[in-house]
Amino acid sequence: MTRPYIFSTLLLLLLFASCKENFFDSIIEVEVPEHKPQLTVTAHLFDGNPLQWIFVNHSRGILDSAEIRPVTNAVVDLYEGNNLIKNFSFLEDDTRDGYGVYATDPILFTPGTTYTLKVQSTEYGNVESTQTAPSKVLINTATFEKEGTIDRYGDRADEISIEFDDPKGEKNYYAVSVTGTYLFEGKDTSILIPNWGIYDTPVDPIIEEASGVLLFSDATLDGKNYNLKFAAFTEEPSFTLPDGEWIEGELLELTVTLSSVSQDYYSFWKSMNTFEDNQDNFFAEPTNVYENVEGGIGIFTLNTYDDYVIEF
């Protein structure tokens, strides 16, 4: 009959010990090393875009609560091989979420050619990244069917189908999207709005949705003529004019865009999607967002695209 006695004695010892300071304290103080700010760069450049944007900022320490300040005095250059082809200018009146915005006019990239982005700052150092321009893949034809499909989430949606020829013997990555042109007419007002963003979702099983971007690779269709389907929601938008008149938009045309993107663009958005999914998940492992900038933090990609207009 000694076991209950032994158990009671151990329990009392444990209770007395727990009264000692920090016995059950699970807080471990960790000395956070001093953080040296680095340049951060976000640059997704698309062949022929009317205006090319690059966002420049600096990193902060994990405990730094200071306001984010845009980097306004960086030198941002793009090289084709060893030749400087573009200098990006800082836009004084455009700072987005603390980022310094640098821009230049259209750039036409040569497929298979290597381009290097260099960003220099007297305060935060210099960074650079290199990309090879992918081949442009053209849309042969595109069709639209109102409420013609069910997306993978079980919702009735409009179906958009595009046909294209995937280049043979290349490792290709793609993104697909759609925008609309709407006409809003009131009693004394007529407003034409192009590039109206339209929500789209996957239908074809090869499409991956990553942070709102529809991505796919040619892993299963190398060199084939392919008919890709995805879903879109083209409900008629509406808004109220300053005089109180309520007007609805009429869809005039859809612009379907097939982007031939670099592998780095594909990897970046997939990792961004995983990061966002895990951000509030206590049990998920930490996820790093893909980056390719040397000397700092960030992403630089080169991409080409083809548009196909569907008129109504």
Side-chain angles (χ1 to χ4, degrees):
M1 300 296 292
T2 59
R3 289 182 181 177
Y5 173 77
I6 294 173
F7 177 78
S8 300
T9 303
L10 290 174
L11 181 60
L12 286 172
L13 289 173
L14 183 61
L15 290 173
F16 283 128
S18 67
C19 296
K20 296 182 66 176
E21 186 178 0
N22 297 330
F23 182 79
F24 285 116
D25 191 355
S26 60
I27 299 176
I28 301 176
E29 293 187 3
V30 177
E31 185 176 347
V32 179
E34 183 179 354
H35 175 73
K36 182 179 179 180
Q38 296 177 293
L39 276 180
T40 63
V41 176
T42 302
H44 297 299
L45 304 184
F46 282 82
D47 177 71
N49 261 12
L51 197 61
Q52 302 283 359
W53 308 89
I54 290 179
F55 303 94
V56 182
N57 202 334
H58 62 86
S59 62
R60 298 190 304 172
I62 191 171
L63 300 179
D64 189 354
S65 59
E67 183 180 359
I68 298 177
R69 295 182 297 108
V71 176
T72 62
N73 59 353
V75 177
V76 182
D77 293 323
L78 183 68
Y79 290 79
E80 183 180 294
N82 295 320
N83 301 318
L84 174 64
I85 61 170
K86 287 291 182 181
N87 173 260
F88 289 72
S89 301
F90 175 70
L91 301 184
E92 295 283 351
D93 300 325
D94 193 347
T95 55
R96 308 181 189 185
D97 298 325
Y99 279 81
V101 182
Y102 293 76
T104 190
D105 51 0
I107 306 171
L108 297 177
F109 300 116
T110 303
T113 300
T114 298
Y115 296 83
T116 300
L117 177 68
K118 295 184 179 182
V119 184
Q120 304 173 59
S121 168
T122 55
E123 187 174 0
Y124 301 108
N126 305 332
V127 303
E128 67 177 65
S129 183
T130 299
Q131 287 279 279
T132 300
S135 301
K136 177 182 286 190
V137 177
L138 303 180
I139 301 174
N140 297 332
T141 186
T143 61
F144 170 86
E145 183 180 353
K146 185 68 176 177
E147 297 186 349
T149 190
I150 302 292
D151 71 9
R152 65 178 57 174
Y153 307 109
D155 297 322
R156 173 65 65 179
D158 306 325
E159 181 184 84
I160 296 177
S161 175
I162 63 171
E163 180 196 327
F164 65 96
D165 296 309
D166 179 71
K168 189 174 182 179
E170 298 180 13
K171 199 171 185 179
N172 296 291
Y173 300 88
Y174 300 96
V176 65
S177 61
V178 60
T179 59
T181 297
Y182 285 89
L183 176 64
F184 296 84
E185 288 190 309
K187 291 182 300 184
D188 303 310
T189 305
S190 180
I191 305 172
L192 185 68
I193 302 181
N195 302 318
W196 184 286
I198 292 177
Y199 176 65
D200 46 28
T201 65
V203 170
D204 195 299
I206 72 171
I207 297 178
E208 304 172 75
E209 186 172 16
S211 297
V213 181
L214 302 188
L215 300 167
F216 64 99
S217 74
D218 69 346
T220 60
L221 51 95
D222 181 52
K224 296 179 181 178
N225 172 271
Y226 195 73
N227 194 355
L228 184 86
K229 300 180 186 297
F230 64 101
F233 296 86
T234 58
E235 292 88 354
E236 305 296 328
S238 60
F239 59 86
T240 303
L241 296 174
D243 62 4
E245 182 184 4
W246 182 71
I247 58 175
E248 291 185 345
E250 176 189 359
L251 179 60
L252 300 184
E253 62 183 32
L254 289 174
T255 300
V256 185
T257 301
L258 177 65
S259 299
S260 184
V261 302
S262 67
Q263 184 174 359
D264 284 353
Y265 183 94
Y266 180 84
S267 299
F268 170 79
W269 284 111
K270 287 195 65 176
S271 68
M272 178 64 77
N273 190 72
T274 303
F275 172 81
E276 291 172 350
D277 286 346
N278 293 346
Q279 199 166 16
D280 298 320
N281 187 347
F282 179 78
F283 298 101
E285 294 184 4
T287 302
N288 292 325
V289 176
Y290 182 86
E291 58 178 328
N292 63 2
V293 172
E294 297 180 7
I297 302 169
I299 185 71
F300 167 51
T301 66
L302 290 183
N303 315 282
T304 63
Y305 67 93
D306 185 44
D307 288 337
Y308 192 101
V309 176
I310 302 174
E311 297 180 345
F312 296 94

